[in-house]
């Protein structure tokens, strides 16, 4: 099957070789940023070889954060990089997995008449489905930058590599560019960067019929001229298409660093395209400001993040990014101190105080399940009583509401339906965080076009929220209707609004129908906000999310008090 995408759209495929974790996602995002700066319209896509139908069922321990798009897709965290770098809103059409491809094929096969009795095979059927995904749902983009997950040589990524090879043939090589990201390891004993693994990796991808047009080499040191010549010779490409990508202190310096190495010049040259220099200078000027703000902060604030997946920073990728953006907005560095919520479960007041002694703000991020939940409740209590800025996100909001209900609103056995049934006497508890039955009945399922049963019960994606004008968040956002992304199954039961408000908690954000509490705050506190959504998903270095900017500002104020 030959595909025929719009004539002006060009495709850049980004593959990885040698080892994983080379920063392919950041490389792809930087390519997008640079082309955008030169005046082109871009979109980034990710092909993931695993068999999960989407990232929704992947444990954050295993695979890092699940990134949620406006239209409610649960995707790979690289889509977060793409959005943060380019500002282009990703959709469910921008991330596909082998699982989804096979699911689509099997659904068609079961319908019977789609394949008309043909034997359904990897070639051509699976490959065609991948090609349709890569080239479908376009909106007059000049460039589609498509990252292939995994490492060349993996069994699982073979169909994807075959699909991009075919796209290259179908629409002619002149409209496709293959970028291969590899590693040049440095051997201390020999004081040398080694090119052999990259040579092998290029050989491997060549054996699949793909000649990389450009090599982005991750390295700790500058590549000596001799090594460059050697690599170019063995990898069958001109030397100027070997781009060195040295380790950087901040990923936001990557577009400029790659541009200095000639990456964008070579790409435009390859496609025989010009550049809008005014736009380029303006955009790159903005990035320089971001990088300078990160490199030269005017101070430091300490934020404790109390969570469950703290050994793995990938699990909180967008959260870390959003805090950094909040720092940029205030000209300070945000120092994140990770606290394992389970480790503080039964601490005495003194020990808890010790734990949070130099903290200027406390954040409890999203989470699932019982483990560590009482530690999060204790954290919210501590922050409330000590008047330390507190930011509760999703689960962090739910735990703050339980805490307030138990200790201020007289609902002593307040609990969450998410885990109270695992306790010995569930009938003794009051479920103030309840199951989102109204969403289960329809709307949540609708937002998820082809979701699994497990995910089908979640409220996913962007929803509107109405803010109370005279409130902290009303002032922070500066307008009364906002749209934020969600990923949750439980909610604060609106039935408890009255006792909670009487005790001093304000429901400052509600769904437009007034049924779903979206934001709570404590007016008597210096800064205490809980949100049911995930604001971190919409924060950009060039446009820090207002809640994070305000939270860091409050922490900065706190740092001057303690
Ligand atoms: N576990 C909670 C729920 O499902 C919170 C989810 C989250 O923090 N993303 O509602």
């Amino acid at each position: 099957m030959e595909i025929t995408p719009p004539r002006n759209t060009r495709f850049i495929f980004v593959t990885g070789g040698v080892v994983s974790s080379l920063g392919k996602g950041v490389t792809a995002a930087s390519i997008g940023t640079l082309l955008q700066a030169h005046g082109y319209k871009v979109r980034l896509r990710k092909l993931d070889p695993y068999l999960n139908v989407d990232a929704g069922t992947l444990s954050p321990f295993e695979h890092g954060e699940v990134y949620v798009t406006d239209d409610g897709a649960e995707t790979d965290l690289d889509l977060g990089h793409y959005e943060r770098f380019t500002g282009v809103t990703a959709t469910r059409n921008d991330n596909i997995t082998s699982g989804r491809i096979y699911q689509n094929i099997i659904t068609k096969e079961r319908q019977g008449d789609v394949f008309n009795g043909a034997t359904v095979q990897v070639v051509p059927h699976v490959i065609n489905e991948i090609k349709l995904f890569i080239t479908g749902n376009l909106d007059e983009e000049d460039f589609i930058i498509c990252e292939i997950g995994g490492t060349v040589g993996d069994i699982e990524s073979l169909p994807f590599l075959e699909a991009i090879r075919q796209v290259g043939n179908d629409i002619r090589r002149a409209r496709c560019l293959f970028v291969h990201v590899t590693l040049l390891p440095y051997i201390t004993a020999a004081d040398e960067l080694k090119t052999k693994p990259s040579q092998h990796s290029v050989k491997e991808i060549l054996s699949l019929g793909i000649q990389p047009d450009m090599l982005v080499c991750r390295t700790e040191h500058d590549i000596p001229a001799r090594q460059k010549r050697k690599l170019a010779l063995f990898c069958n490409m001109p030397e100027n298409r070997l781009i060195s990508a040295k380790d950087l202190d901040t990923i936001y310096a990557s577009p400029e660093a790659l541009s200095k190495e000639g990456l964008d010049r070579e790409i435009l040259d390859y496609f025989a395209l010009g550049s809008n220099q005014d736009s380029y200078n303006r955009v790159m000027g903005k990035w320089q400001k971001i990088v300078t703000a990160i490199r030269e902060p005017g101070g430091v604030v300490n934020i404790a993040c109390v969570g469950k997946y703290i050994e793995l920073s990938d699990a909180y990728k967008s959260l870390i990014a959003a805090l950094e953006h909040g720092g940029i907005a205030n000209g300070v560095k945000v120092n994140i101190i990770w606290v394992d919520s389970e480790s503080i479960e039964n601490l005495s007041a003194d020990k808890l105080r010790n734990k949070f002694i130099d903290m200027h703000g406390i954040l409890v991020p999203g989470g699932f399940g019982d483990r560590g939940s009482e530690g999060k409740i204790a954290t919210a209590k501590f922050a409330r009583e000590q008047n330390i800025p507190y930011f509760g996100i999703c689960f962090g909001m739910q735990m703050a509401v339980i805490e307030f209900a138990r200790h201020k609103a007289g609902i002593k056995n307040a609990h969450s339906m998410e885990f109270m049934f695992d306790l010995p006497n569930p009938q003794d508890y009051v479920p103030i965080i309840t199951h989102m039955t109204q969403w289960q009945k329809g709307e949540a399922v609708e937002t998820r076009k082809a979701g699994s049963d497990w995910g089908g019960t979640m409220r996913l994606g962007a929803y509107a929220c109405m803010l109370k004008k005279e409130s902290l968040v009303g002032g922070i956002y500066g307008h009364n209707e906002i749209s934020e992304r969600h990923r949750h199954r439980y909610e604060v039961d609106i039935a408890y609004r009255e006792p909670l408000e009487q005790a001093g908690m304000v429901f400052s954000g509600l769904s437009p129908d007034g049924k779903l509490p979206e934001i709570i705050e404590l007016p008597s506190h210096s800064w205490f906000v809980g949100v049911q959504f995930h604001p971190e998903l919409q924060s950009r270095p060039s446009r820090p999310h207002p809640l994070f900017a305000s939270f860091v500002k409050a922490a900065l104020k706190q740092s001057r008090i303690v």
Side-chain angles (χ1 to χ4, degrees):
M1 179 200 66
E2 273 207 28
I3 38 103
T4 49
R7 283 195 44 220
N8 293 330
T9 307
R10 291 155 187 90
F11 292 84
I12 297 179
F13 295 107
V14 182
T15 54
V18 185
V19 291
S20 57
S21 308
L22 281 178
K24 250 186 311 156
V26 172
T27 305
S30 302
I31 293 174
T33 305
L34 288 169
L35 290 171
Q36 226 179 13
H38 285 289
Y40 294 98
K41 183 171 175 185
V42 306
R43 174 163 293 283
L44 284 119
R45 288 192 162 158
K46 174 98 195 269
L47 311 175
D48 276 311
Y50 49 76
L51 283 172
N52 303 62
V53 171
D54 61 32
T57 54
L58 287 168
S59 154
F61 283 119
E62 240 343 92
H63 203 79
E65 153 189 281
V66 177
Y67 191 76
V68 179
T69 56
D70 261 355
D71 62 357
E74 294 175 287
T75 72
D76 186 84
L77 53 79
D78 275 320
L79 271 79
H81 286 312
Y82 304 164
E83 285 202 340
R84 284 189 283 276
F85 274 74
T86 65
V88 176
T89 305
T91 75
R92 60 175 59 253
N93 295 320
D94 296 326
N95 185 205
I96 200 144
T97 68
S98 296
R100 169 87 64 195
I101 297 277
Y102 278 95
Q103 191 187 50
N104 291 353
I105 301 245
I106 290 166
T107 307
K108 286 185 193 168
E109 188 273 336
R110 291 290 87 187
Q111 283 164 1
D113 53 353
V114 181
F115 294 117
N116 276 329
T119 310
V120 184
Q121 293 178 297
V122 174
V123 183
H125 302 103
V126 169
I127 306 296
N128 286 348
E129 194 72 25
I130 301 172
K131 283 162 70 177
L132 282 176
F133 167 77
I134 295 171
T135 56
N137 293 299
L138 300 183
D139 184 23
E140 296 180 355
E141 283 88 358
D142 299 305
F143 286 99
I144 298 296
I145 299 147
C146 195
E147 178 190 347
I148 290 88
T151 307
V152 167
D154 298 344
I155 293 177
E156 315 188 289
S157 47
L158 283 175
F160 288 123
L161 296 170
E162 171 59 11
I164 62 172
R165 183 191 72 79
Q166 287 191 18
V167 172
N169 278 350
D170 291 353
I171 64 174
R172 306 248 181 285
R173 284 291 268 120
R175 278 173 59 200
C176 288
L177 176 85
F178 292 94
V179 178
H180 193 51
V181 184
T182 69
L183 174 74
L184 298 189
Y186 174 73
I187 306 295
T188 318
D191 185 25
E192 221 176 42
L193 283 176
K194 290 296 183 188
T195 63
K196 193 73 86 193
S198 297
Q199 293 177 36
H200 277 298
S201 177
V202 169
K203 234 183 216 140
E204 182 81 35
I205 191 166
L206 263 172
S207 75
L208 303 171
I210 297 171
Q211 162 69 56
D213 300 300
M214 184 178 276
L215 224 52
V216 173
C217 305
R218 289 301 308 275
T219 154
E220 288 169 48
H221 301 272
D222 289 320
I223 312 174
R226 195 173 59 88
Q227 306 292 81
K228 257 199 170 174
R229 267 199 304 280
K230 192 161 137 195
L231 201 52
L233 185 68
F234 282 105
C235 297
N236 197 22
M237 68 181 65
E239 256 179 68
N240 41 357
R241 299 255 190 86
L242 283 178
I243 308 295
S244 103
K246 265 182 42 177
D247 295 350
L248 294 164
D249 53 346
T250 161
I251 55 170
Y252 299 128
S254 166
E256 195 189 7
L258 291 173
S259 182
K260 276 204 177 117
E261 286 291 317
L263 175 121
D264 46 340
R265 196 183 55 232
E266 289 300 325
I267 293 178
L268 294 179
D269 206 44
Y270 178 92
F271 291 112
L273 289 172
S275 152
N276 178 339
Q277 277 300 312
D278 283 346
S279 153
Y280 178 81
N281 293 338
R282 196 182 59 245
V283 175
M284 294 317 280
K286 268 205 321 219
W287 281 94
Q288 260 165 12
K289 277 204 188 113
I290 292 167
V291 171
T292 309
I294 293 171
R295 286 189 178 148
E296 296 162 19
V300 180
V301 296
N302 295 334
I303 305 282
C305 281
V306 183
K308 191 164 75 165
Y309 317 108
I310 59 166
E311 311 82 38
L312 197 82
S313 61
D314 265 5
Y316 298 113
K317 200 116 205 160
S318 296
L319 181 81
I320 296 169
L323 281 168
E324 187 174 34
H325 305 161
I328 294 174
N330 289 284
V332 295
K333 177 182 161 52
V334 174
N335 194 13
I336 302 176
I337 294 91
W338 296 99
V339 179
D340 177 4
S341 48
E342 249 184 322
S343 76
I344 51 170
E345 250 169 15
N346 297 309
L347 291 189
S348 64
D350 277 352
K351 287 217 168 106
L352 204 56
R353 199 183 312 272
N354 270 344
K355 202 82 186 177
F356 290 122
I357 196 133
D358 289 321
M359 297 303 121
H360 310 129
I362 298 178
L363 191 150
V364 177
F368 291 83
D370 177 34
R371 201 152 66 74
S373 58
E374 289 299 328
K376 293 175 186 177
I377 291 170
T379 301
K381 181 168 189 277
F382 178 81
R384 177 176 61 76
E385 289 176 347
Q386 303 300 318
N387 204 26
I388 299 173
Y390 176 89
F391 195 3
I393 295 180
C394 205
F395 198 69
M397 167 196 186
Q398 297 173 1
M399 296 306 105
V401 174
I402 291 178
E403 187 284 311
F404 194 79
R406 284 185 192 171
H407 305 113
K408 292 298 279 183
I411 311 168
K412 297 233 166 352
N413 291 342
H415 227 291
S416 168
M417 263 204 195
E418 187 172 353
F419 32 76
M420 61 183 247
F421 292 112
D422 299 332
L423 299 171
N425 299 307
Q427 68 282 1
D428 293 347
Y429 299 98
V430 183
I432 63 160
I433 311 295
T434 47
H435 205 268
M436 306 186 62
T437 43
Q438 56 269 62
W439 296 101
Q440 243 191 321
K441 277 187 201 129
E443 291 169 56
V445 184
E446 246 186 49
T447 62
R448 200 187 157 86
K449 304 236 157 53
S452 62
D453 292 338
W454 190 85
T457 58
M458 286 241 235
R459 183 175 179 228
L460 289 165
Y463 285 91
C465 160
M466 308 307 288
L467 303 182
K468 195 175 179 152
K469 207 162 168 240
E470 306 303 323
S471 65
L472 176 61
V473 289
I476 291 172
Y477 278 96
H479 43 98
N480 62 353
E481 184 176 346
I482 58 164
S483 167
E484 294 281 4
R485 297 183 194 170
H486 297 69
R487 182 174 187 252
H488 62 121
R489 199 174 278 119
Y490 298 87
E491 58 164 337
V492 177
D493 191 336
I494 192 80
Y496 294 94
R497 179 177 183 176
E498 209 188 297
L500 289 165
E501 287 207 320
Q502 260 170 17
M505 178 171 267
V506 169
F507 283 48
S508 50
L510 293 171
S511 57
D513 65 4
K515 287 185 186 157
L516 299 178
E518 292 272 22
I519 310 179
I520 57 93
E521 59 186 71
L522 296 179
S524 59
H525 191 280
S526 64
W527 204 100
F528 195 106
V529 176
V531 295
Q532 188 54 77
F533 45 81
H534 290 273
E536 70 273 24
L537 300 177
Q538 293 207 75
S539 188
R540 315 268 178 266
S542 55
R543 200 193 64 209
H545 192 285
L547 284 175
F548 281 90
S550 174
F551 174 56
V552 173
K553 190 174 175 188
L556 186 59
K557 206 166 149 200
Q558 179 75 10
S559 74
R560 291 178 180 140
I561 299 170
V562 292

